[in-house]
Structure formats: C-alpha cells, structure tokens
Amino acid sequence: LPESPKLEYGLELIEGLGCSGCHQIDRFDDDRKRGPDLSRIASKTDVEWAYNWVMDPKSFRPETPMPRFFNLANTSDAEWSVRNEVEAEAIVSYLFANSSTIELASASSGNVMRGQELVENVGCGGLTGGAWYT
C-alpha cells in the first residue's frame, strides 16, 4: 500500500515479529495457533497490568512464550528507555481503545477451608509445590 507507509510498516512488523502466530489478526488468519483474544482486554484486566505485561511478560509468568521486546541489552540506554515507555503505552492504549466490554457474572462467595482442602487433596497443589495458598 504505497499510499499508507505507516500501515505497511506496521504490517511488516507484525509479520516479521510473528505477532499473528499468537494473536488473532484477520489478515493473517492462516498462521499457526493463536494466543489469547485481546478484543475484550478491558473486561479482563486494567491498563497498569497490561502495561507491565507488555514491558516484561516473563516477570509475571516466567514460562510464557510471549517475548520481551523492551529494555533489552541493546535498547536500555536513556534514549531507548523513553522510546520503550512510549511504545508500550501506545500498544496498551490501542488495545484498550479497541476493547469491547462484557458483563461478568459476580462470583459467589466460597468457603476458604473447603477450597484449601480441595487444592491439597485433588492435586492442584502439586502444580506449584502447594506453597501458593499458605
């Protein structure tokens, strides 16, 4: 699209970085397995959490396949730090500006002791060594 160089550049980045390998992007529907649908992100989390995730996904979930793009060894000086922040804020702003909302049912109250018993006896605690609920 010669008349839209910014769009063309963005599409080249998406394709080159493999974003469509994880995220639904209509133009790239034939790509491999998709990651989470971000079209309702505003109903699932808040801007601060999303910004932190974009800046460093592995700080929240070390095993995530989502790569870290910002504050790398070659992009961590003062000039790049400002650019990193601006770009991450732009990504999050875009996601939230284009997010639709859904009504979530309110959670019923639960029984903490019964929950702990289930986690300990059904095996859920084995996934994390059981320490997360203590």
Side-chain angles (χ1 to χ4, degrees):
L1 301 170
E3 64 279 1
S4 302
K6 288 184 180 179
L7 173 62
E8 194 63 32
Y9 177 66
L11 292 171
E12 288 174 13
L13 281 175
I14 289 169
E15 187 170 22
L17 294 171
C19 303
S20 61
C22 292
H23 301 286
Q24 175 65 40
I25 302 171
D26 291 341
R27 178 176 283 234
F28 301 97
D29 273 346
D30 296 332
D31 284 1
R32 60 194 163 127
K33 181 182 175 283
R34 303 280 186 244
D37 180 355
L38 301 176
S39 64
R40 295 182 179 150
I41 193 168
S43 294
K44 299 175 182 182
T45 189
D46 60 32
V47 171
E48 181 181 1
W49 186 92
Y51 174 83
N52 290 331
W53 172 264
V54 168
M55 286 300 284
D56 186 8
K58 292 186 186 316
S59 69
F60 176 77
R61 181 172 291 139
E63 71 280 358
T64 185
M66 176 74 175
R68 181 176 176 177
F69 294 105
F70 300 108
N71 297 322
L72 302 173
N74 62 340
T75 62
S76 59
D77 64 23
E79 182 181 339
W80 272 101
S81 291
V82 172
R83 181 177 175 164
N84 291 333
E85 289 177 23
V86 169
E87 289 181 358
E89 287 174 6
I91 290 168
V92 173
S93 293
Y94 173 82
L95 290 173
F96 278 78
N98 291 284
S99 177
S100 59
T101 57
I102 56 173
E103 287 296 320
L104 301 174
S106 60
S108 60
S109 60
N111 180 313
V112 174
M113 297 307 292
R114 177 70 177 131
Q116 180 174 348
E117 180 183 331
L118 286 170
V119 169
E120 290 173 345
N121 294 317
V122 174
C124 302
L127 296 174
T128 60
W132 64 271
Y133 56 81
T134 56

